[in-house]
Amino acid sequence: MRQKKKIPTNYLLFSIFNILLLFNACNTGNRAVTSVEDLQCCNLTNPEGIDHPLLSWKIRSSRQGVAQAAWEIEIASRQELLEKGEADIWKSGKQPSDQQFGIQPTAEFKEGKSYCWRVRIWENNDEATPWSKPAGFSIGLLNESAWKAKWITYADPDQHALPYFRKSFSTEKGKKISKALAYFCGLGAGELYLNGNIVDPTRFLDPAQTDYDHYALYSTFDLTDLLKKGENLIGVMLGGGWFAQKEAWGGANFSYGAPMLRLQLVISYQDGSQTIVGSDESWEWSEGAVQKSNIYLGESYDANQEIEGWNKIGHSSEGWQKALIATKNLPPRLVPQLIPPIRKKEFLSAQSIWQDSLGNWIYDFGVNVAAIPLLKVSEPNGTGITLRFAEGIDQNRGLDFRSTGWIHHGEIFKDHYICKGKGVEEWSPRFTYHGYRYAELSGVTKKPDKETLKLIVVHSDIHQSGTFECADGQINKLHELALRTVKSNLHGIPTDCPIREKCGWLGDVHAYVKMANMNFQMENFWHKYLGDIRSGASREEKNTLFHERYNNTFYFTDKAAGIPYMIAPGKRLCGVASPDWGTALVQLPWWIYVYYGNQLILEEFYPQMKQWTLYVHSLAKSEERKKLYNRETSSIVYQGLGDWCAPRYESADPTPVEFTSTAFHYLDAKIMEKTARLLGKKEDMALFSLLQEEIANEMIALMYDPVNKTFGTQTADAMALDLGIVPEGDEKAVSASIVKNMREKSEGFMQCGIFGLCRIGSMLARHGNAEAAWDMFTKKGEHSFEWMWKSTDATTLWETLPINERTRKAVISSSYNHPMQAGFDISFFEDIAGISPDRSGYGFKVIRFQPLFCDYLPWARATIETAYGNVSSSWVKKEHGLEWEITIPANSSGLVAPPYAQEFTVNGEKMENCQFLKKETQDGQELYRFPSGNYKIVF
């Protein structure tokens, strides 16, 4: 018999002690598992120079089913007051509410003042969390009276190189600085220096473009840690940007005036006093090294004209002139810039280098992006180096400029650098950018290498809030191309392409807004762009070109104030917005609400949304239009551009303009009915309810084939399904008609322009044809997405997707970087990974989990940072079945649509034992409501 070993007493005591420690830690953890973090103001972390604070936070918890029942906020003028519990600006008290973003404090805030704040919440068990760590914000200069600085410019801009500006100043002796903020607007763009150093070296082409005759943006810089005691010197390099552009577009003058700047530096001391340094006639200017610059055509720089030490203390004023007070073309308002600036994001080296037949050096950077070159050379004084750019190469492996659209501008885009011959010189342009993959280098006297020329990717510093990946390489490749294309076209505005137009076409935007919202934090960006649309629409011009296409003829119409143009912002307008382009004015606020939960945006833009919808309805009712089209209809809209840039097939029919424009009119009315309901506008709700019913009835009567269950084309059927126009009960049959059309008309592939492409995958998958959608996304060879990179080596999405040889040959001179084609990416998040905002709680208050492709690939996963926190869906097929992990952030819930009609386990427990699960039915579908938490579901 084995003898039992005696356990030493000291070991028992040690074990008991550790058990007690563990028990205490667990109990302590249970008491403090919920915290409030990620405090933001206006969707920004500790922002400087905002207009009105909108506060938000995230709730972190290790517990399941956490919801916010109430919140309390304290705001103080100093952090030490906040920490003492002596908030002197605002104490909200306990506010029963589950709202955790868009909170508007009722306190009065002063311009130029800084504030700190904290928040705590009460959970649904009535337990309060600890106070959050403090966060901060400061109010900018909101009224003209707050600006002591003047607009300044320089003499004879057309006769001089772009200028340097500077001003020396001193801090007050014996006083400690508490904060120093610079409010700066350089038009069209400016670089800010302090004591010889650039203040923000990655910031580029700042501020963002606007309708400068209505308002301009200014940026706020915290210079507290950069100031020296005593004498300092502030400097500015000024460029034309979009503000002073008048050479491109064949010399069309889209300029607002000569470059100018306004800068106000406010130095606050701990004793409460201030020193204000403002731009005025005491500033100095001198010609700089940037000889000329154009946002399209490129930049010319002569390094011999550099003034060494121009932005440092002690540099001589000899040869400098006094700044001039700008008196013409001043923006009537200055507004804080609340969107991330354009930044230099990434450095790329060439993948290969060769010489063309003319001896020019060709650099292939491997991907097509929005970028600027970085030149590094050691050449004799006076050596002129020229850089030219293209998205493709020709048969002789030289640059192919056709897709750049240079012919519309009058010259090929190029940058030029003149060396000063003093060792190694590095240079990149400051006030222009290009869309390119290939660069041509000429003028060097030595053989270049990969260090000689690099590429710097530039785009708005939008946070990427979504990720997606799956087991299929082709789908991942499509996702990669979509992301690169969208990022290449975020430059303060959503551009159509980064090389030829650089314009904010309204119709392009609403074709990909949903996928952009899933991938990026776009809320502030879209808000700013809506302001651009609104400011441009306030112009009233008569006899303006209306993009109305009938029998290939364009017509003119009078434009009323409030109706937008095809493009915003800027002076290149391209006519009054057609119904299928201007619908962006209604759609954008709605999709901001759907994906970010921002109801304030609907309230702000409701008048413009309503005006637009009624305006389009007046076009449908117009007797003049009825005579023009020889139609007796009351709701059909015939004006528009249609399903733009569809691929070419010999036997496929285009979607009629009257279908797409009328469908968008229906969508506008539908959005207006929902918005009016949300905002409590009962009369408008009834009006738009009747209007959408009238539109749908007439569309079905005139455009729907009830026998063959189709509206005639893939795009028409996909739009009808997505917008809810299909007669009830015919949805699966209409989806099947898309499949039939694909087989008979387009080689088993899609034949959709931008309005169909962003819908077809989802509409197939959600109406019983997920296999057809899978086949479309993964098809190989000609007539497939794969053909885009197999036949053209595409790394971005072309203006018209080259999915077959017929299309590729027809569109070789079109842009190779157009985000309007990226809308399909929404299917990857919502239908493959299975994450979307549910209509029962927009803004991801309620998350819909519904993967539809589980039968066609081994795994997929996606994550999204929502206003409530991180949402994730990750599923994988294993031998025993399917494992699906989902994350639902605190204060939200999930509606789970099981991919298989069978029982499942949740975190190892049978579903019937999971008391937290609530079974629901939506549109005849069984769903399970999950509270917040992390779950592993196994089928």
Side-chain angles (χ1 to χ4, degrees), residues 46-50 114 137-140 179 181 220-222 338:
N46 299 322
E48 303 285 5
I50 64 166
S114 297
F137 63 88
S138 70
I139 305 298
K179 201 165 193 176
L181 295 179
T220 304
F221 298 86
D222 188 346
L338 299 182

Side-chain angles (χ1 to χ4, degrees), residues 460-651:
S460 290
D461 194 19
I462 299 295
H463 173 61
Q464 185 168 337
S465 54
T467 65
F468 169 83
E469 189 180 13
C470 73
D472 186 81
Q474 182 159 312
I475 287 178
N476 291 338
K477 179 89 169 180
L478 279 170
H479 179 61
E480 174 192 329
L481 265 61
L483 289 186
R484 184 177 297 119
T485 305
V486 171
K487 287 192 288 187
S488 294
N489 286 280
L490 300 177
H491 293 94
I493 64 170
T495 61
D496 61 329
C497 58
I499 189 164
R500 59 196 301 168
E501 292 190 60
K502 301 179 180 177
C503 290
W505 287 86
L506 275 66
D508 297 34
V509 166
H510 72 77
Y512 72 93
V513 57
K514 291 197 285 186
M515 70 76 62
N517 289 350
M518 292 293 264
N519 283 287
F520 305 103
Q521 173 40 269
M522 297 289 290
E523 185 176 350
N524 287 17
F525 193 90
W526 291 139
H527 192 175
K528 184 265 180 188
Y529 182 59
L530 278 165
D532 295 332
I533 297 173
R534 179 172 57 190
S535 63
S538 66
R539 297 187 181 99
E540 185 171 359
E541 300 178 16
K542 298 296 184 181
N543 205 32
T544 305
L545 180 64
F546 191 150
H547 271 72
E548 176 178 337
R549 192 173 66 183
Y550 182 71
N551 290 336
N552 294 317
T553 304
F554 289 93
Y555 296 90
F556 289 87
T557 187
D558 290 343
K559 181 198 179 294
I563 303 304
Y565 289 93
M566 298 292 282
I567 293 172
K571 288 191 173 183
R572 183 174 182 253
L573 305 172
C574 291
V576 181
S578 59
D580 47 357
W581 255 241
T583 177
L585 182 54
V586 177
Q587 288 196 51
L588 275 182
W590 179 251
W591 297 125
I592 292 173
Y593 170 64
V594 168
Y595 286 89
Y596 301 110
N598 184 347
Q599 185 174 320
L600 296 175
I601 205 87
L602 295 174
E603 297 174 7
E604 179 181 352
F605 287 94
Y606 187 86
Q608 290 77 26
M609 297 164 68
K610 179 179 177 179
Q611 182 190 17
W612 169 260
T613 306
L614 295 179
Y615 165 73
V616 175
H617 191 55
S618 73
L619 296 178
K621 296 287 188 182
S622 168
E623 293 298 326
E624 179 183 348
R625 289 300 192 279
K626 290 179 184 179
K627 292 178 183 178
L628 177 65
Y629 299 116
N630 192 25
R631 296 286 195 276
E632 286 298 330
T633 58
S634 59
S635 301
I636 304 302
V637 183
Y638 292 92
Q639 302 91 328
L641 297 185
D643 190 30
W644 201 240
C645 291
R648 314 292 174 86
Y649 284 95
E650 187 173 355
S651 59

